[in-house]
Amino acid sequence: MAPLWAIFSLFTCTLTISTSLTTNTLSQARNTYIIRVQNDLKPSIFPDVKDWYSSTLKSVRSATTEYHRDSPIHIYGTVFHGFSAKLSEQEAESIKAHHGVLAVFPDRARQIQTTRSRDFMGLGGPSLRPGGPFALSDYGSNIVIGVLDTGIWPERESFHDRGLGPIPARWHGACDSGPGFGPAHCNRKLIGARYFPSGYDASFDDQKRGLRPNVTREFRSPRDSDGHGTHTASTAAGRHARGASLMGYAEGTAAGVAPKARIAVYKICWSTGCFDSDVLSAIDRAVEDGVDVISLSVGAGAVPYYYDPIAIGAFGAMEKGVVVSTSAGNDGPGEMTVTNIAPWITTVGAGTIDRTFPADLTLGDGRVIQGVSLYSGDPFPPQQYFPLIYAGNASATARAGSSRFNSAFCTAGSLDPTAVKGKIVLCERGGVSRASKGQTVKDAGGAGMIVANTGIEAEGLVADAHVLPALAIGEAGGYAVHSYISSTANPTATFAFHGTRLGVRPAPVVAAFSSRGPNAESQYVIKPDLIAPGVNILAAWPDEVGPTGLPSDGRRTEFNILSGTSMACPHVSGLAALLKGAHPDWSPAAIKSAMMTTAYVRDNSGRDVTEESHGKASSVWDLGSGHVDPVRAIDPGLVYDLTVEDYVRFLCGSQFARRYVRTIARREMNCTDEGGKAWDLNYPSISMVFVQSTAVMDLEAEVTRTVTNVGEGEAIYTVSLVDPPGARLAVDPGRLEFARKGEKRTFVVRISAGSLELPRGNSRSSFGSMTWQSGRRSVRSPVAVTWQQPF
């Protein structure tokens, strides 16, 4: 019998964005909106902006309203000027017409998206030498990383302050008090901790008290009740912690990328998500407090920049010199799934490292299927086989109709205990978390569980600390198990768990879940920018959360292993801190350029980096410029720098309406004067799109770039080109000479191509590269060429 995912795949999806808007009572229901205002238009009759905003709210309230709260929920004044408030849709439309209001956005809920990984990045022996990233930056000791996430568990060894110097004098942050947290929990390592629940609170209907936030399970303070924030904070900047492991897996000394960098925590994520109004308030406060880097491992579907408060807030942070590092999203391997795509943001995808946690599934006919697992309990007795059953054939009879579909994915309560007791249960991946499937099987009396990938994940595997003997296998293995079950009268199986394996090849591999390009909003900007370790990452974990995160999981551990672009993002945030510490005069764009142009695209077996789902060679849409290389990034030779004015010209060149440019950039401009070509944004990668007419034609374009010499003294660079298949590259001049540090040189890249025969509405992309070389330095930029055939 075919697995149910093959039958029902068209009906399953993952919702990554939720909105507080309702559509059935638009004129009456109140939801949270974010109002963007022009910051220099406050009428003089109001002593401060809060009075002005309150008066504005009062003026749009319906005469029949029973809602009397005229005070804003949040007030923003650093990277974003405006406020958030609860409004009906009719009131939101009214407020748009007020003088000085630039835009109104509905609040959205976004979702949250290391012993070995640091060494895998090259932060071992070479990085400790004079001139390496640790020596030049003093391990990031004068840099503050703002981690916007679920909070922190401050007692962890990763956050001790032994041996750290005084807090940087420019720091203006604070440690908020609340249940389980107070100023005494901060130190010279954890120098700030704030929490932002107002948007989360406002997302609940005031008339439905039963839906109020669950204060019994969530700390109304910076303390972490989820684990995600503690994990990302320690990945970016955790101190050395000896004897770290997840119940014996990945044992060693754990340390963050920038172990002396200071951490400031901004708790923005709660049980139902991370609301834009809270995220924006945290970005605003973090920049005001004095952070140097913002690490933001949250995301939602891509929207135009002028509708995206995070993109707008990040623009303001960039203006203040703050690097903003974000996760690319976990919706791969499909194309055009990448999120956090504004060019002033560093967008990070996920790759594997050279470590895995192998586990074998042995079928009764002797076949062995390799999988992965972090199960740490009692193993099956040697050579003891258990009956094997497909979950789709074990549905609970009380759940008729859709019960077989639910049981195939092992959703809660969907299995018949009489059918699965004492058996190994084959569950389809998807629908609910992998760990919760194990709890469902355990509750029904199952002896073990197999999680089989569907066509979406293919061969991409993620290990979990299951609550019963269990492992994950790929799609091909899943088909083999299905075939064995359906063709065998009494199918049986057993497991063997093999602990931690190091030196795995090939690595890195682009994770199957890592969201892919191209960029849905700016086709001339390649996203993701690069990849970093994001699969099976060990980092600190709270006391009151089990390793699966399930309420029923009573196990406790100081460290946990997680996977996601959420784990990749803080690796880059930590590296940005090292680069900022070593080069305090570098702009956010220069720091990003250094990471991108020194990234590598060959794995540890010497071949092109592959992607995990099908094992094929990865493309620029998968890994951007490549896998981050900290040792090379500290001394990139040349950088592609950008100013605020460059980004404004890019927005104008992208044909954004004047009001939208003003919404993002907070300034008046004349795009007729300011505008340029969108593809001339001085980005470290190049993307060109040719829109074909129906006639056969030659396609040509010129792209301008400027590089700055950040090396010491004189330098000569020559260009090396790899043509994208079907296109030709030429660079003029092909030789750049620099007499001193800080000099700039401009060059033109000419891209030519013949037309392709494509069906109407289709496109095709191919990829090459441009590398400037000078002795030991190589400054590489990927080049993407796309042919589009209009309808």
Short mmCIF file of all heavy atoms in Angstrom, two decimals, residues 354-355 450 500 650:
data_model
loop_
_atom_site.label_atom_id
_atom_site.label_comp_id
_atom_site.label_asym_id
_atom_site.label_seq_id
_atom_site.Cartn_x
_atom_site.Cartn_y
_atom_site.Cartn_z
N ASP A 354 30.96 18.04 9.91
CA ASP A 354 31.51 16.69 9.73
C ASP A 354 31.27 15.80 10.95
O ASP A 354 32.15 15.06 11.39
CB ASP A 354 33.00 16.76 9.40
CG ASP A 354 33.82 17.39 10.52
OD1 ASP A 354 33.23 18.08 11.39
OD2 ASP A 354 35.05 17.19 10.54
N ARG A 355 30.07 15.86 11.48
CA ARG A 355 29.69 15.05 12.63
C ARG A 355 28.26 14.57 12.42
O ARG A 355 27.40 15.31 11.95
CB ARG A 355 29.76 15.88 13.92
CG ARG A 355 29.32 15.13 15.16
CD ARG A 355 29.41 16.01 16.40
NE ARG A 355 28.46 17.11 16.38
CZ ARG A 355 28.50 18.17 17.18
NH1 ARG A 355 29.46 18.29 18.07
NH2 ARG A 355 27.58 19.12 17.09
N ILE A 450 10.01 4.57 13.77
CA ILE A 450 10.79 4.99 12.61
C ILE A 450 10.08 6.21 12.02
O ILE A 450 8.87 6.17 11.77
CB ILE A 450 10.85 3.88 11.53
CG1 ILE A 450 11.39 2.58 12.12
CG2 ILE A 450 11.66 4.35 10.33
CD1 ILE A 450 11.09 1.37 11.26
N THR A 500 28.33 9.01 18.50
CA THR A 500 28.80 10.16 17.74
C THR A 500 29.90 9.74 16.77
O THR A 500 30.84 9.04 17.16
CB THR A 500 29.37 11.23 18.70
OG1 THR A 500 28.37 11.59 19.66
CG2 THR A 500 29.80 12.47 17.93
N PHE A 650 19.30 52.07 -4.82
CA PHE A 650 18.82 50.74 -5.19
C PHE A 650 17.29 50.68 -5.13
O PHE A 650 16.65 50.14 -6.05
CB PHE A 650 19.42 49.70 -4.24
CG PHE A 650 18.69 48.39 -4.21
CD1 PHE A 650 18.85 47.46 -5.23
CD2 PHE A 650 17.84 48.07 -3.16
CE1 PHE A 650 18.18 46.25 -5.21
CE2 PHE A 650 17.17 46.87 -3.13
CZ PHE A 650 17.34 45.95 -4.16
#
